[in-house]
Amino acid sequence: MKYLKLKNSFIVFFFCFITPLLSAQSGYNIAVKMKNCNDTIAFLTYYQMDKTYIKDTCTNIKDGKIVFKGKEKLSRGIYSIVNQKKAIVFDFFVDENNQNLKLESDANNFRREASAENSVQENEFFSYTKFLTSENEKFYNAKEQLRGLSKKDSIAKIINLRKQLELSIQEYEQKLAEKNKGTYLGDFITLKVEKTLKDPPLASNGRVDSLKVYHYYRAHYWDGVDFKDEVITRNPFFFTKLKSYFDNVIVKHPDSVAVEIDKMMQKPPQGSLLFKLLLGHFTSTYETYNFMGFDKVFVHIVDHYFKTGKAVGTYEDDVIERIIKRSDKLKPLLIGTKAPELSMIRASDRAKIASKGFEDAKNSEEVTKLFYDHVSEINSLFYKLHDVVADYLILVFWDVDCGHCQKEIPKLLDLYHELQKEKKDIKVYSVYTEKEGDKYQKYIDEHQLDWINVYDGVFYNNVREKYDVYSTPVIYVLDKNKVIKAKRVAVEQIKQIVSDIESEYKKAK
């Protein structure tokens, strides 16, 4: 199976814009007569979630005649004819009754010229795509006529034009879905149609009750969608609808998202293609999600699907092991958990550590021997994170030679002094992530870093691994109980975070 990255997707473009001759023979035969075609190769592709895959290739195009043949029937779904420039010429659908199709189009005007010689339903599909093209053009033409109006007037008119467009398309789709109910075309359109509350009630203020509208929309969002039929994975609207549900419909909070993922994962049979694709999508999405705190969703997924064996068959064993290991690293660092302890050496005690030979140790065995030879004195030199007493504790990991750190550390120092002037009980536990203690001390002295300066002088903590520090600087904000309230934040965000923690303290009184 080859994945093909396409330049354009006709159907998906429009979705994102809004937000019968039967053959007794087995296999498939898709014959396309393409006017004004100069290509020498064409591809038959199909959708699967957010990707497009090559099903077949035609390398013998003569006079615009493109033929795809196969001994086994095509799976139901939306397919595309793709030219040699990897651009979609047009989409069409395949079901049990459309395995032998005679299609026509024009390479110069494919969106208006696509037609089927031997399928009434296929022509209904093409009429639908042509309707979308026409409505889209009407909208843009009307929008162009608004040039010269004030910004306020043009925005109001554009909103009205968009509503008219959405209503027009929705009405067309509802009629098309109803007309083709019980067929693949009907199911295809049903998945896209928005389920909205008709004649919504008014609230006490006389306006539409938006809460009831929302609850209805959310409750009926997946009406008519059969999660036990893997054909929905080959519907280009499905992935967009799925993504919109998690991005725009449900409450965007880690706990809410985790609950909705569990509900979604219960819809398809375990081990089915859809189950595997959903698990893969959710795992990859929340492993690298860009919103603070959503690594909790990733950890939830790993706990409930990877550690329980439900990911077997979706991922290879070594990948499952890697993902579990990644989750185990993140779990102690989730927002709301107590920060892992650190036992560090003050930068000012560097000479004492150096005199014991730690900076000259050549391997871990030598370090271990030195540690136990001087264990009592080393323990007395440790400055532990959990021993710091402050209402607000900034934990920062950085490196003297890091260019970005050289910009951020002075800004953090200024903010630290500013918050001190505001009588905030705040401290900074500054962790140097490298081992060159002399270089670290020099920077401290030159820049007058008057906060808690520590480093892992006896190689005891492995801070990069413990706090997932793969680049610097990394800033955590802890409350007075050493609970992680924020992490991987910019200096500019800290003041607001401190204010939020202060509000929590006041509410707790």
Side-chain angles (χ1 to χ4, degrees):
M1 183 188 295
K2 185 176 180 183
Y3 166 59
L4 182 66
K5 188 174 182 181
L6 301 176
K7 292 184 179 179
N8 188 21
S9 172
F10 179 55
I11 293 177
V12 174
F13 169 81
F14 278 104
F15 182 77
C16 293
F17 172 72
I18 305 299
T19 338
L21 294 177
L22 298 179
S23 173
Q25 70 181 44
S26 62
Y28 66 90
N29 188 321
I30 311 296
V32 183
K33 190 184 296 181
M34 187 75 68
K35 298 176 185 176
N36 299 308
C37 176
N38 298 315
D39 288 357
T40 58
I41 187 171
F43 305 96
L44 176 65
T45 68
Y46 65 95
Y47 295 95
Q48 189 172 88
M49 297 292 276
D50 59 333
K51 293 181 174 57
T52 306
Y53 294 91
I54 295 175
K55 177 62 181 178
D56 202 348
T57 305
C58 177
T59 57
N60 187 27
I61 301 176
K62 291 183 179 179
D63 300 323
K65 294 179 180 178
I66 304 167
V67 178
F68 300 100
K69 286 185 179 181
K71 294 181 179 180
E72 296 182 0
K73 285 190 173 184
L74 294 171
S75 298
R76 292 173 299 150
I78 301 298
Y79 289 76
S80 307
I81 303 299
V82 177
N83 64 24
Q84 63 188 26
K85 294 180 180 179
K86 297 183 180 179
I88 290 179
V89 181
F90 63 86
D91 292 314
F92 62 100
F93 77 89
V94 170
D95 63 8
E96 297 87 345
N97 301 322
N98 287 289
Q99 296 284 331
N100 296 276
L101 289 169
K102 294 180 180 180
L103 308 176
E104 294 185 7
S105 189
D106 188 329
N108 293 335
N109 195 12
F110 52 86
R111 289 180 179 168
R112 292 191 180 279
E113 296 298 325
S115 64
E117 183 181 319
N118 62 340
S119 173
V120 173
Q121 272 203 335
E122 203 71 59
N123 280 322
E124 286 199 77
F125 175 85
F126 289 138
S127 294
Y128 168 60
T129 59
K130 291 170 187 175
F131 170 76
L132 293 178
T133 300
S134 175
E135 292 299 292
N136 180 59
E137 288 177 351
K138 287 179 186 177
F139 175 83
Y140 273 106
N141 289 337
K143 188 178 175 182
E144 282 297 310
Q145 294 176 14
L146 300 179
R147 289 182 178 276
L149 295 179
S150 67
K151 185 176 180 180
K152 182 180 179 180
D153 289 341
S154 62
I155 289 175
K157 289 184 179 296
I158 288 172
I159 290 173
N160 186 52
L161 286 171
R162 190 183 298 277
K163 285 181 179 179
Q164 291 177 25
L165 175 63
E166 291 172 352
L167 287 172
S168 175
I169 291 176
Q170 187 176 41
E171 182 180 346
Y172 187 103
E173 289 174 339
Q174 286 173 341
K175 289 179 180 178
L176 184 61
E178 186 62 31
K179 180 182 178 181
N180 292 278
K181 193 173 183 179
T183 69
Y184 173 76
L185 179 58
D187 293 343
F188 165 76
I189 296 297
T190 294
L191 189 145
K192 180 180 181 294
V193 171
E194 296 288 302
K195 284 72 176 180
T196 54
L197 180 60
K198 295 179 180 178
D199 302 319
L202 300 179
S204 57
N205 59 7
R207 297 178 181 177
V208 170
D209 191 332
S210 58
L211 196 59
K212 286 188 177 179
V213 170
Y214 164 74
H215 284 305
Y216 180 91
Y217 179 68
R218 177 173 170 174
H220 295 273
Y221 191 87
W222 296 108
D223 283 5
V225 180
D226 185 1
F227 282 83
K228 291 180 173 57
D229 189 346
E230 67 179 43
V231 70
I232 64 173
T233 68
R234 294 185 290 277
N235 184 331
F237 296 142
F238 175 67
F239 181 78
T240 310
K241 190 177 183 77
L242 176 71
K243 191 172 185 303
S244 179
Y245 184 71
F246 280 87
D247 287 349
N248 306 315
V249 179
I250 66 171
V251 177
K252 205 157 189 175
H253 184 280
D255 293 338
S256 299
V257 170
V259 168
E260 291 296 329
I261 286 175
D262 288 344
K263 289 180 181 177
M264 187 68 65
M265 293 304 298
Q266 290 172 10
K267 293 178 183 291
Q270 185 177 326
S272 65
L273 175 63
L274 181 53
F275 182 92
K276 294 175 182 178
L277 291 173
L278 286 174
L279 181 58
H281 166 65
F282 291 135
T283 302
S284 62
T285 297
Y286 292 103
E287 182 180 10
T288 57
Y289 209 58
N290 236 357
F291 287 83
M292 184 172 61
F294 277 80
D295 47 357
K296 185 177 183 180
V297 179
F298 171 67
V299 170
H300 173 88
I301 292 169
V302 175
D303 284 348
H304 287 75
Y305 300 95
F306 286 78
K307 292 184 177 181
T308 59
K310 294 178 182 178
V312 174
T314 302
Y315 294 91
E316 296 295 332
D317 290 347
D318 61 324
V319 178
I320 291 175
E321 185 179 343
R322 177 191 66 77
I323 290 174
I324 290 175
K325 185 177 179 181
R326 176 66 182 155
S327 173
D328 287 344
K329 180 189 285 190
L330 294 176
K331 199 167 189 176
L333 302 173
L334 298 178
I335 302 294
T337 60
K338 191 167 185 177
E341 178 66 290
L342 289 173
S343 299
M344 309 297 286
I345 302 297
R346 294 178 181 85
S348 57
D349 287 332
R350 177 247 165 185
K352 296 175 183 177
I353 295 302
S355 68
K356 292 174 179 24
F358 280 95
E359 293 184 1
D360 299 319
K362 296 180 176 59
N363 51 53
S364 59
E365 288 79 9
E366 288 186 18
V367 170
T368 301
K369 185 177 184 305
L370 287 171
F371 182 88
Y372 284 106
D373 285 347
H374 305 280
V375 65
S376 296
E377 188 174 354
I378 289 171
N379 281 334
S380 70
L381 292 175
F382 277 147
Y383 194 162
K384 296 184 177 182
L385 176 68
H386 288 185
D387 289 342
V388 180
V389 178
D391 285 342
Y392 317 97
L393 179 56
I394 311 301
L395 172 60
V396 56
F397 300 92
W398 65 289
D399 174 18
V400 171
D401 294 323
C402 157
H404 190 48
C405 300
Q406 291 171 5
K407 295 177 182 178
E408 294 301 303
I409 292 300
K411 291 185 342 189
L412 179 59
L413 186 64
D414 289 341
L415 177 65
Y416 172 59
H417 291 154
E418 179 185 337
L419 292 173
Q420 282 184 319
K421 289 178 181 177
E422 294 178 7
K423 305 300 181 183
K424 297 287 190 286
D425 180 18
I426 186 168
K427 289 182 182 176
V428 175
Y429 193 82
S430 169
V431 180
Y432 174 55
T433 58
E434 299 304 320
K435 310 302 177 186
E436 299 174 85
D438 54 342
K439 184 184 290 187
Y440 181 38
Q441 187 62 58
K442 182 181 179 182
Y443 188 97
I444 292 168
D445 294 339
E446 289 178 351
H447 295 82
Q448 299 179 23
L449 303 185
D450 56 345
W451 50 39
I452 301 167
N453 297 293
V454 296
Y455 77 121
D456 197 9
V458 296
F459 308 95
Y460 182 77
N461 296 269
N462 193 6
V463 293
R464 286 187 176 274
E465 182 73 16
K466 183 178 283 189
Y467 272 87
D468 194 34
V469 180
Y470 48 83
S471 63
T472 51
V474 172
I475 299 175
Y476 285 71
V477 182
L478 316 181
D479 70 7
K480 61 185 177 183
N481 297 313
K482 310 302 178 295
V483 171
I484 299 172
K485 306 302 289 187
K487 63 181 181 177
R488 298 191 174 280
V489 297
V491 172
E492 291 78 10
Q493 296 173 277
I494 293 175
K495 193 167 186 178
Q496 182 59 52
I497 295 167
V498 167
S499 177
D500 292 341
I501 297 173
E502 185 175 34
S503 296
E504 289 182 12
Y505 290 158
K506 289 178 180 178
K507 287 179 183 178
K509 287 182 178 179

